[in-house]
Amino acid sequence: IRPELFDTWCRVLQRLPNSVLWMLKYPKDSEPMLRGRAKDKFDVEHQLRFSDFVSTSEENWIRLWRGADAILDTTIYGAHTGTVDALWAGLPVVTCIGHCVADDEPAEYGDQMASRVAASMLENIGVDKELVARDLDDYAERCVRLATDGPYYDDLRKRIEDSRTTADMWDPSIYGKRLS
């Protein structure tokens, strides 16, 4: 997690005082540092939640279906399998298209395949215009809209769930043909 992205998340939490940011305890010693930054710069440390790894994919699915409303992707190296899991669970995934990095970061950080995977999946299921941000300010606005516009959120979730039967991404025969 780059500092500018974590700061963006904290600014979103300031705007959404009844929301929480749920993160994995990885590395284990990151929690005190992140809580400290959230407290000192933004006063939102009480909105952070940390959890351990789970043992099985079933436990992960239960967490997604019961505990999450959306997934906030990271920059530089974004979600891959996590995006697939979230979308299959019907959850929106907010991501940046590759170049959402600070001006002082190496240029290659913003233009690697690893930073574009989630955006490609969102495009494949037809929700990229809603969930793929162009910069961190745009990213924050998309997060806030998901949390504050109920009809928009419900419609987006339905479209994501409906994509299971309509999008090429979920059809192994189409995927296999493209590999050959």
Side-chain angles (χ1 to χ4, degrees):
I1 302 171
R2 300 294 306 157
E4 65 275 4
L5 178 62
F6 186 74
D7 290 355
T8 299
W9 289 342
C10 288
R11 284 191 292 277
V12 168
L13 290 174
Q14 285 178 318
R15 293 173 65 187
L16 303 170
N18 294 320
S19 294
V20 298
L21 178 62
W22 178 21
M23 296 178 287
L24 190 61
K25 286 184 195 174
Y26 184 80
K28 292 239 183 237
D29 60 352
S30 65
E31 183 178 349
M33 184 212 44
L34 293 172
R35 281 193 186 282
R37 186 177 183 97
K39 178 177 178 42
D40 295 343
K41 288 186 74 175
F42 303 98
D43 197 29
V44 295
E45 76 286 354
H46 59 284
Q47 291 174 260
L48 301 182
R49 303 291 184 271
F50 291 87
S51 61
D52 291 313
F53 282 99
V54 291
S55 302
T56 66
S57 58
E58 289 80 15
E59 289 176 281
N60 186 50
W61 282 99
I62 289 168
R63 280 203 306 202
L64 286 173
W65 280 328
R66 291 186 184 163
D69 294 315
I71 302 299
L72 307 185
D73 196 13
T74 57
T75 56
I76 302 174
Y77 192 94
H80 294 80
T81 305
T83 299
V84 172
D85 289 349
L87 293 175
W88 191 256
L91 297 176
V93 177
V94 180
T95 192
C96 268
I97 187 72
H99 62 275
C100 291
V101 296
D103 292 336
D104 61 345
E105 294 292 342
E108 64 270 14
Y109 276 7
D111 192 26
Q112 294 184 4
M113 185 276 299
S115 66
R116 298 187 306 263
V117 172
S120 294
M121 287 187 238
L122 294 168
E123 181 180 7
N124 185 274
I125 68 167
V127 294
D128 54 307
K129 291 184 178 29
E130 294 85 354
L131 296 173
V132 179
R134 299 294 172 206
D135 57 47
L136 291 177
D137 290 336
D138 184 26
Y139 181 100
E141 291 306 314
R142 290 165 192 267
C143 292
V144 170
R145 182 166 187 204
L146 283 175
T148 59
D149 187 340
Y152 173 79
Y153 176 82
D154 292 342
D155 177 67
L156 196 52
R157 284 212 52 173
K158 180 170 181 358
R159 289 173 49 209
I160 291 167
E161 290 169 0
D162 289 349
S163 79
R164 293 182 205 150
T165 59
T166 61
D168 293 353
M169 183 172 110
W170 306 116
D171 187 332
S173 65
I174 292 173
Y175 182 77
K177 287 177 188 173
R178 289 184 177 162
L179 287 176
S180 55

